[in-house]
């Protein structure tokens, strides 16, 4: 009898998880109401200037991301004036688990589980409750790092990690990284070659029918870089150099809204 009760309890837990996942998936594609993206800044390296930068962040500094999403959504027929609201949450003192470099499928799965556990433990309660949580890990502009650690996001669990420079001069480029990782949580896929980092043609191009094809003045958000020619690319300076293309709009449900 006890064994049967344990089995029943386990089945009920699994059913609850499945129903919750289905509910989150449905909500992720419902653009009739604003989706809430909460960003939580973290001083990621212990540097004094990083801590000062994080302490001085204001909600208004993330308005450009919200306005970008509103503009791009309208271009795809979404009727909501604010499809994504970006809210600034409190700064966190704990750093999330480091993303493994060139991880195997098993290692990536292990990191995803640790990340979801960490997010559950360290996300402070809030009202309203966000659909997406993004943890912004800031690094000193005086760091000896040659490049920032890899940023990533999980569609299951709706959480992301963005590594950014703690610099006002880098704020606009930081916004591109946050917007890119945020759309992963809504189901958008990367549109660049993982070996060369070049945008994939045509889905990674803002203007795939342009002739001559290069240089591209803008890039698709999920491509990450703007193609200058067949072998060279550059990260966009700000969100004015970025668009959400048709392929991404289909993945996140924008093309099915008000069409």
């Amino acid at each position: 009898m006890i064994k049967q009760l344990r089995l029943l309890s386990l089945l009920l837990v699994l059913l609850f998880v499945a129903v919750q996942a289905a509910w989150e998936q449905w909500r992720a594609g419902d653009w009739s109401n604003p989706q809430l993206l909460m960003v939580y800044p973290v001083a990621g390296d212990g540097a004094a200037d990083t801590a000062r930068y994080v302490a001085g962040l204001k909600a208004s500094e993330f308005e450009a991301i919200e306005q970008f999403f509103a503009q791009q959504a309208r271009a795809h027929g979404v009727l909501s004036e604010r499809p994504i609201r970006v809210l600034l949450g409190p700064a966190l003192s704990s750093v999330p688990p480091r993303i493994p470099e060139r991880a195997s499928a098993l290692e990536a799965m292990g990191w995803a589980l640790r990340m979801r556990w960490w997010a559950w433990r360290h996300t402070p309660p809030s009202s309203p409750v966000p659909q997406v949580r993004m943890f912004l890990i800031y690094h000193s502009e005086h760091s000896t790092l040659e490049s920032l650690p890899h940023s990533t996001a999980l569609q299951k669990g709706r959480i992301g990690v963005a590594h950014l420079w703690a610099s006002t001069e880098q704020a606009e480029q930081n916004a591109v990284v946050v917007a890119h990782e945020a759309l992963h949580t809504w189901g958008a896929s990367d549109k660049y070659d993982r070996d060369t980092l070049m945008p994939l043609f045509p889905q990674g191009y803002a203007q795939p029918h342009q002739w001559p094809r290069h240089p591209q003045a803008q890039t698709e958000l999920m491509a990450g870089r703007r193609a200058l020619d067949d072998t060279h690319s550059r990260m966009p300076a700000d969100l004015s150099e970025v668009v959400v293309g048709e392929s991404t709009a289909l993945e996140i449900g924008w093309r099915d809204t008000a069409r």
Side-chain angles (χ1 to χ4, degrees):
M1 184 64 178
I2 294 177
K3 185 177 180 180
Q4 292 174 328
L5 288 174
R6 287 177 176 172
L7 179 60
L8 179 60
S9 298
L10 177 60
L11 290 174
L12 288 174
V13 169
L14 292 175
L15 177 62
F16 172 78
V17 170
V19 170
Q20 185 181 40
W23 171 248
E24 287 183 353
Q25 185 70 19
W26 179 84
R27 290 181 72 195
D30 178 21
W31 295 103
S32 58
N33 294 303
Q35 300 265 336
L36 303 183
L37 165 62
M38 184 83 80
V39 296
Y40 301 92
V42 183
D45 56 11
D49 59 321
T50 305
R52 284 194 299 270
Y53 183 86
V54 167
L57 284 171
K58 297 178 176 60
S60 59
E61 297 177 44
F62 298 92
E63 289 178 357
I65 300 173
E66 189 173 295
Q67 293 167 2
F68 167 77
F69 283 135
Q71 178 191 49
Q72 295 298 309
R74 281 195 299 272
H76 292 288
V78 176
L79 297 181
S80 175
E81 292 185 3
R82 298 173 71 189
I84 297 176
R85 286 182 58 199
V86 184
L87 308 176
L88 176 60
L92 305 181
S93 58
S94 176
V95 179
R98 188 175 180 85
I99 305 163
E101 297 286 341
R102 299 187 177 276
S104 65
L106 187 60
E107 289 171 334
M109 186 181 301
W111 174 84
L113 291 173
R114 292 194 302 274
M115 182 64 211
R116 293 179 70 173
W117 171 250
W118 180 92
W120 179 78
R121 289 185 60 206
H122 293 91
T123 302
S126 63
S127 180
V129 177
Q131 278 83 25
V132 173
R133 293 166 292 165
M134 287 283 297
F135 301 96
L136 312 184
I137 317 302
Y138 286 94
H139 301 263
S140 171
E141 61 181 327
H142 305 297
S143 169
T144 57
L145 290 173
E146 293 185 4
S147 61
L148 290 173
H150 182 61
S151 299
T152 193
L154 301 172
Q155 185 178 6
K156 291 184 178 180
R158 315 295 301 284
I159 54 179
V161 175
H163 287 274
L164 311 169
W165 293 115
S167 165
T168 54
E169 288 75 19
Q170 290 290 325
E172 292 184 336
Q173 198 167 71
N174 286 345
V176 177
V177 177
V178 174
H180 175 101
E181 298 303 337
L183 282 200
H184 274 314
T185 70
W186 276 284
S189 63
D190 283 323
K191 294 170 179 61
Y192 61 86
D193 184 288
R194 292 186 178 275
D195 293 324
T196 66
L197 302 182
M198 287 294 295
L200 296 174
F201 182 82
Q203 62 269 38
Y205 280 60
Q207 301 294 335
H209 304 298
Q210 171 186 298
W211 186 258
R213 184 179 297 172
H214 302 113
Q216 291 275 310
Q218 295 175 299
T219 187
E220 214 284 341
L221 175 61
M222 304 312 294
R225 302 177 69 88
R226 178 167 63 88
L228 303 178
D229 54 37
D230 286 330
T231 57
H232 296 86
S233 61
R234 191 188 78 183
M235 187 172 176
D238 54 47
L239 289 168
S240 70
E241 295 187 7
V242 176
V243 300
V244 174
E246 182 175 344
S247 179
T248 296
L250 285 167
E251 290 172 334
I252 66 177
W254 279 2
R255 296 290 293 187
D256 294 330
T257 304
R259 287 282 177 176

